[in-house]
Amino acid sequence: MKISIVTPSLGRDKYINETIRSVVYQKGDFEIEYIIQDGGSGRNVINILERWYKKINSRSFDLQCRKVTFNFYIEKDKGMYD
């Protein structure tokens, strides 16, 4: 089974690490497709997202499920529901 999760974000550098961690360390017999859609945060959030992208794609963390794919997109939007 594959579970897809999308997290909307804008300027959440205070919370984004814990949010990502809580998703990618889920345990079970499933795959996780995790996408963060950011509405145009600053460099700090982008740095955090880039670090997680590298970490997950290099498999340098303790995988608790079958597979995790992680992508993020940064583009201006009209809010969380856009």
Side-chain angles (χ1 to χ4, degrees), residues 39-56:
S41 292
R43 191 73 225 164
N44 193 35
V45 170
I46 294 168
N47 288 340
I48 293 167
L49 296 174
E50 288 173 343
R51 279 195 307 271
W52 274 105
Y53 181 84
K54 289 175 186 174
K55 182 175 183 174
I56 291 168

Side-chain angles (χ1 to χ4, degrees), residues 21-32 56 59-68:
R21 186 178 295 111
S22 72
V23 172
V24 301
Y25 284 108
Q26 293 297 308
K27 295 180 184 178
D29 186 25
F30 49 79
E31 295 180 19
I32 298 173
I56 291 168
R59 304 290 185 234
S60 64
F61 72 104
D62 187 21
L63 190 62
Q64 302 291 315
C65 62
R66 280 192 272 145
K67 181 180 178 183
V68 175

Side-chain angles (χ1 to χ4, degrees), residues 12-28:
R12 297 294 179 199
D13 54 325
K14 185 175 178 181
Y15 307 103
I16 198 72
N17 262 321
E18 189 60 34
T19 302
I20 296 169
R21 186 178 295 111
S22 72
V23 172
V24 301
Y25 284 108
Q26 293 297 308
K27 295 180 184 178

